[in-house]
């Protein structure tokens, strides 16, 4: 059944028809019968989905709206907001997942009858899955005078209809929606059920939730799956697991490996708590107890003693409850300062662990060294509660520009006689550019060191990577736990043997560079070729011109302007978008348009398939008309770039269409192209020699200053 109230944006229309947004704008200008906007704003209008679908089909631009797209448009255009729609969808998907015959019976009823009977069917599922409290409707609150609240990013969910009435009253994340609340969602729920028959209930919810998160990237802080898996492995097997700041549930999903587990989740955002609880229930047959509320002020699980606590807490919170919680019994290791919210989360985690239970928290690096937290850090060390501090590479988790830490906790059964703490630094495994860390190497290094630390006997020190340090050596005035400050230098990487190898490699590279050096340039009279421009070649079909900057729907490596300038491989990322990404192919020529440099790069087989990043233009020549190396070489001419550039107060921008090229026969183009190709090989050899030279110089300085290299 089509929902006539469902609205769709221009981006949604483009996705439905498989075109770019520019095409939708053209249709609106050129076709007087294109549907009129029914909502949105002047700059971002929305249209009735049914009218758009009818128009597209009449124009022959659409045979049928794909089911996935129809359901997503119904969800995103729901009159009560996408979060309400997503939670209603999650409720029905859990019913389909747990009791499919019940849904088959309900689905045959009319819309009104379905909305009337659905709450009773949901109660039968929610009670064993989430506890008896979830079988009740969401409590209603009475508005009281006071300052106006900040606008929410999304409307409150219908399963979780109102925000927590006060910080002191945590409540279940999921409540049974009423028939009145469900009635506007019935067309969506029928589409969701149809999609679940095609994909499966769990996969359908993951698809819809993923689309919602991608559409609102600034509203949610996500924990990457690789990091979540590492944290779960550090905690070890656990029957009872708590995440007191659950977000979208990545950590509990990583820890959910057995059907007899009990998963406990809490989040201050009602919509996240509800969505995560439903997500976990669809992911596992474990018992799930989700709650809404401010964890530090209003703990929903005060009697819990878990086997494991996993947490990615909010960082740098000043308003965490310092004034209200001065005498809270959780502060066994000291009352956290107002600026030490992270140490409050650490102690909350320890308070919810059983004796011997493990906790793993993602922490900002400042928490390891701020003077305001040194007394608490010292007591955590003395009593054996802090077992390891692991420095992660840059880019491991948001904020991606900071190398975050993992703190591994253990609730002590008794104070150790000679406590030690494991310090690990895997910053060396950071990826190039913005490509993210080498997670396989990070995982292997961290787990290998952690398992070796847990075995009886003396821990074997790993220079530059891991060290087990007696706690007494850290109990100074600073109690600084930053691993890099306590690890010995990596002698194996920077010692004399490695430097000898680098020196030999540099010698080979320099000999290769000398062999590639261009022969003496003979003097010649300036050529008077007839010229053409890139714009003319593009209009004549001799080459295709494309601009980059769109991520599309598939996640592939992205070639950035920095990669082109430095001659490195694709290192960037782009957010998913409705516009299709421009993918490179062998023989393409890529040109940066900002910065004023004379650079052009020919794509080879190792770089092909990458998406074209921002501020780049791709030229795809017809091999029968234009030689790629000839094209790239002449585009690098300084005078050519100067005449095609425009100058602003802060940057120089290149108009690629104005770049000039001589009109030469193809055979003559190839002669020039071969010479340009040789120059490119020489340039790459020089770059490689430069990097090796820098490595050798830095290694010599480090070796001479730390004593691993003799001065003679």
């Amino acid at each position: 059944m089509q929902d006539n109230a469902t609205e769709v944006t221009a981006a949604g229309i483009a996705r439905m028809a498989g075109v770019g947004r520019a095409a939708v704008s053209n249709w609106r200008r050129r076709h007087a019968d294109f549907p009129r906007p029914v909502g949105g704003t002047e700059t971002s209008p929305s249209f009735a989905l049914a009218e758009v679908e009818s128009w597209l089909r009449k124009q022959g631009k659409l045979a049928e709206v794909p089911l996935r797209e129809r359901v997503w448009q119904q969800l995103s255009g729901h009159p009560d907001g996408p979060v309400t729609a997503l939670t209603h969808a999650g409720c029905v998907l859990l019913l389909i997942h747990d009791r499919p015959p019940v849904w088959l019976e309900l689905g045959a009823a009319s819309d009104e009858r379905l909305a009337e009977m659905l709450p009773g069917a949901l109660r039968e599922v929610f009670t064993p899955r989430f506890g008896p409290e979830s079988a009740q409707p969401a409590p209603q609150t009475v508005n009281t005078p006071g300052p106006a609240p900040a606008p929410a990013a999304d409307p409150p969910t219908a399963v979780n209809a109102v925000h927590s009435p006060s910080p002191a009253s945590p409540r279940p994340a999921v409540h049974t929606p009423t028939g009145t609340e469900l009635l506007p969602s019935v067309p969506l729920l029928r589409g969701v059920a149809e999609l679940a028959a095609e994909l499966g209930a769990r996969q359908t919810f993951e698809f819809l939730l993923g689309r919602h998160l991608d559409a609102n990237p600034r509203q949610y802080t996500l924990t990457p799956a690789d990091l979540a898996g590492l944290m779960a492995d550090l905690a070890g097997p656990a029957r009872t697991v708590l995440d007191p700041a659950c977000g979208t549930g990545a950590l509990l999903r990583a820890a959910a490996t057995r059907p007899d587990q009990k998963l406990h989740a809490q989040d201050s955002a009602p919509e996240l708590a509800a969505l995560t609880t439903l997500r976990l229930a669809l992911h596992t047959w474990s018992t799930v107890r989700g709650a809404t509320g401010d964890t530090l002020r209003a703990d929903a699980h005060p009697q819990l003693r878990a086997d494991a606590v996993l947490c990615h807490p909010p960082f740098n919170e000043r308003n965490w409850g310092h004034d209200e919680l001065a005498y809270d019994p959780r502060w066994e290791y000291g009352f956290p300062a107002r600026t030490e919210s992270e140490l409050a989360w650490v102690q909350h985690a320890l308070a919810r662990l059983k004796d011997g239970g493990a906790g793993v928290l993602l922490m900002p690096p400042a928490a390891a060294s701020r003077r305001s937290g040194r007394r608490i850090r010292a007591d955590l060390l003395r009593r054996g509660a802090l077992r390891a501090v692991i420095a992660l590479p840059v880019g491991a988790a948001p904020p991606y520009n900071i190398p975050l830490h993992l703190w591994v906790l253990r609730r002590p059964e008794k104070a150790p006689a000679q406590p030690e703490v494991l310090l690990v630094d895997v910053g060396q495994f950071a990826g190039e550019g913005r490509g993210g860390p080498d997670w396989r190497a990070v995982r292997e290094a961290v787990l290998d060191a952690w398992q070796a630390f847990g075995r009886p006997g003396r821990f074997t020190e790993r220079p530059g990577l891991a060290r087990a340090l007696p706690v007494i050596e850290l109990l100074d005035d600073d109690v600084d736990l930053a691993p890099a400050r306590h690890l010995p230098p990596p002698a194996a990487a920077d010692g004399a043997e490695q430097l000898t190898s680098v020196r030999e490699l540099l010698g080979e590279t320099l000999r290769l560079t000398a062999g590639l050096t261009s022969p003496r340039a003979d003097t010649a009279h300036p050529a008077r070729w007839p010229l053409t421009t890139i714009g003319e070649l593009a209009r004549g079909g001799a080459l295709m011109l494309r601009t980059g900057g769109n991520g599309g729907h598939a996640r592939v490596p992205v070639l950035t302007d920095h990669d082109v300038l430095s001659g490195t491989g694709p290192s960037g990322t782009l957010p998913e978008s409705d516009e299709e990404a421009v993918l490179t192919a062998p023989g393409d020529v890529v040109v940066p348009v900002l910065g004023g440099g004379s650079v052009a790069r020919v794509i080879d087989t190792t770089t092909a398939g990458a998406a074209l990043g921002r501020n780049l233009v791709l030229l795809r020549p017809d091999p029968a008309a234009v030689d790629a190396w000839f094209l790239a070489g002449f585009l690098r001419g300084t005078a050519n770039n100067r005449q095609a550039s425009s100058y602003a107060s802060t940057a120089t921008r290149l108009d690629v269409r104005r770049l000039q090229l001589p009109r030469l026969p193809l055979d003559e183009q190839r002669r020039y192209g071969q010479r340009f190709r040789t120059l490119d090989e020489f340039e790459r050899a020089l770059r490689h020699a430069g990097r090796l030279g820098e490595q050798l110089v830095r290694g010599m300085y480090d070796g001479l200053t730390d004593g691993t290299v003799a001065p003679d």
Side-chain angles (χ1 to χ4, degrees):
M1 173 180 176
Q2 176 65 52
D3 179 13
N4 292 323
T6 300
E7 298 177 12
V8 60
T9 64
I13 297 172
R15 191 185 293 117
M16 289 164 57
V19 298
R21 293 183 64 176
V24 178
S25 299
N26 288 335
W27 293 343
R28 292 184 63 195
R29 287 195 300 268
R30 292 167 49 196
H31 297 277
D33 61 340
F34 191 87
R36 300 295 180 189
V38 297
T41 65
E42 183 175 348
T43 57
S44 181
S46 58
F47 307 83
L49 177 61
E51 294 179 9
V52 168
E53 182 181 352
S54 175
W55 187 87
L56 290 173
R57 189 173 290 110
K58 184 173 65 175
Q59 294 290 326
K61 303 181 186 299
L62 179 70
E64 184 62 46
V65 177
L67 180 58
R68 288 188 183 205
E69 198 57 43
R70 178 192 296 278
V71 172
W72 168 248
Q73 295 301 338
Q74 289 177 315
L75 186 148
S76 61
H78 193 282
D80 293 328
V83 176
T84 295
L86 188 54
T87 35
H88 286 175
C91 291
V92 166
L93 287 168
L94 185 59
L95 174 64
I96 294 171
H97 180 267
D98 285 11
R99 302 188 180 186
V102 175
W103 170 258
L104 290 176
E105 181 179 346
L106 294 177
S110 65
D111 287 2
E112 291 75 11
R113 182 61 176 158
L114 174 59
E116 180 184 344
M117 295 189 298
L118 197 51
L122 292 176
R123 277 191 288 269
E124 296 296 319
V125 174
F126 287 179
T127 300
R129 286 301 215 116
F130 307 135
E133 299 88 352
S134 64
Q136 304 302 317
Q140 300 298 315
T141 58
V142 179
N143 292 329
T144 56
D154 287 300
T157 66
V159 269
N160 203 38
V162 292
H163 289 284
S164 183
S166 75
S169 56
R171 54 192 180 82
V174 174
H175 287 280
T176 304
T178 65
T180 302
E181 292 167 339
L182 286 169
L183 186 57
S185 300
V186 168
L188 165 67
L189 300 181
R190 293 189 187 277
V192 165
E194 188 179 352
L195 188 58
E198 178 182 309
L199 301 179
R202 178 190 305 170
Q203 292 80 358
T204 297
F205 189 72
E206 288 296 320
F207 161 71
L208 296 173
L209 177 61
R211 271 282 187 93
H212 176 68
L213 296 177
D214 287 344
N216 302 276
R218 297 185 180 180
Q219 296 178 16
Y220 304 101
T221 299
L222 306 181
T223 306
D226 290 306
L227 176 59
L230 175 61
M231 293 173 67
D233 287 341
L234 286 168
R239 189 161 183 264
T240 305
V241 189
L242 166 68
D243 184 347
C246 63
T248 58
L251 294 175
L252 288 175
R253 287 184 71 213
T257 57
R258 317 169 7 188
D260 62 339
Q261 283 178 302
K262 294 182 179 179
L263 306 177
H264 298 262
Q266 183 170 352
D267 201 278
S268 59
E271 66 275 9
L272 277 180
L275 292 175
T276 293
T277 302
L278 292 165
R279 187 184 196 187
L280 292 171
L282 285 163
H283 180 74
T284 175
W285 289 100
S286 304
T287 300
V288 181
R289 294 291 183 266
T292 293
D294 184 324
T295 296
L296 295 180
R297 288 189 177 93
D299 184 13
H301 310 287
Q303 306 305 317
L304 179 65
R305 295 298 177 265
D307 297 307
V309 174
L310 302 174
C311 187
H312 178 173
F315 297 160
N316 302 320
E317 280 200 333
R318 295 299 182 97
N319 185 29
W320 59 267
H322 178 271
D323 295 338
E324 306 101 300
L325 302 173
Y327 301 102
D328 196 287
R330 288 173 290 183
W331 316 141
E332 294 182 53
Y333 303 87
F335 180 41
R338 189 183 303 276
T339 56
E340 295 287 354
S341 62
E342 295 86 8
L343 293 182
W345 285 97
V346 165
Q347 295 192 75
H348 174 81
L350 286 165
R352 293 297 159 262
L353 286 170
K354 70 177 185 181
D355 289 347
V360 184
L361 277 75
L362 186 66
M363 301 283 282
S369 56
R370 279 190 299 241
R371 289 188 61 80
S372 54
R374 65 189 187 278
R375 292 184 179 177
I376 294 177
R377 292 196 299 271
D379 208 28
L380 290 169
L381 291 172
R382 286 192 196 97
R383 296 169 61 179
L386 180 57
R387 303 295 292 134
V389 177
I390 300 164
L392 296 169
V394 171
Y400 289 107
N401 61 328
I402 297 175
L404 301 175
H405 288 179
L406 290 178
W407 285 24
V408 184
L409 312 171
R410 186 83 68 187
R411 182 166 181 83
E413 300 177 78
K414 60 179 181 179
Q418 294 180 326
E420 289 187 329
V421 64
L422 176 67
L423 301 177
V424 180
D425 188 344
V426 288
Q428 60 186 287
F429 301 119
E432 294 185 7
R434 295 180 290 275
D438 181 349
W439 277 111
R440 183 173 182 177
V442 169
R443 180 185 180 84
E444 289 177 356
V446 169
L447 293 181
D448 187 44
W450 175 244
Q451 290 162 6
F453 180 67
R455 289 193 288 265
R458 186 172 180 81
F459 180 83
T460 302
E461 189 175 278
R462 302 168 191 192
L465 184 63
R467 181 184 184 189
L469 201 63
V471 163
I472 191 66
E473 296 187 24
L474 294 168
L475 297 179
D476 53 17
D477 288 342
D478 295 321
V479 196
D480 191 333
L481 306 182
R485 297 195 175 114
H486 303 284
L487 295 178
D494 294 334
E497 292 183 6
Q498 181 68 16
L499 290 177
T500 300
S501 175
V502 172
R503 187 176 183 278
E504 292 174 354
L505 186 57
L506 175 59
E508 293 175 7
T509 305
L510 289 174
R511 286 190 291 273
L512 174 64
T513 306
L516 291 171
T517 303
S518 298
R520 182 175 61 87
D522 296 327
T523 303
H525 294 291
R528 299 298 182 185
W529 297 302
L531 299 176
T532 185
T533 65
I534 295 298
E536 290 173 351
L537 291 173
R539 287 191 293 274
L543 58 79
M544 182 175 66
L545 187 149
R546 302 287 299 276
T547 56
N550 297 309
H553 299 298
R555 297 190 181 278
V556 297
V558 175
L559 187 69
T560 68
D561 52 352
H562 178 269
D563 299 330
V564 175
L565 293 169
S566 61
T568 56
S571 66
T573 58
L574 287 170
E576 290 192 21
S577 66
D578 298 321
E579 301 287 343
E580 289 299 319
V582 177
L583 301 182
T584 59
D588 290 344
V589 176
V590 177
V591 183
V593 296
L594 291 182
S598 303
V599 179
R601 178 171 176 179
V602 179
I603 300 299
D604 55 20
T605 54
T606 61
T607 314
L612 195 67
R614 297 184 179 92
N615 302 319
L616 290 176
V617 170
L618 179 144
L619 305 175
R620 182 165 294 165
D622 179 353
V626 180
D627 179 78
W629 285 101
F630 165 80
L631 171 64
F634 273 95
L635 295 188
R636 293 191 60 171
T638 302
N640 198 5
N641 274 259
R642 188 178 296 127
Q643 64 83 27
S645 296
S646 59
Y647 303 92
S649 58
T650 58
T652 302
R653 187 171 189 89
L654 181 69
D655 184 351
V656 176
R657 292 179 178 274
R658 291 171 55 192
L659 287 169
Q660 296 176 339
L661 206 65
R663 296 181 181 271
L664 295 179
L666 192 57
D667 288 343
E668 190 69 6
Q669 291 183 32
R670 288 170 179 160
R671 284 186 59 225
Y672 276 94
Q674 184 57 44
R675 187 67 179 271
F676 287 136
R677 188 168 195 161
T678 303
L679 278 174
D680 181 77
E681 292 175 0
F682 177 64
E683 183 179 37
R684 283 189 281 117
L686 283 176
R687 283 200 188 104
H688 186 49
R691 287 193 289 266
L692 289 172
E694 290 175 2
Q695 184 180 350
L696 180 61
V697 170
R698 171 48 52 198
M700 288 296 296
Y701 272 110
D702 290 344
L704 288 167
T705 55
D706 64 22
T708 58
V709 175
D712 50 2

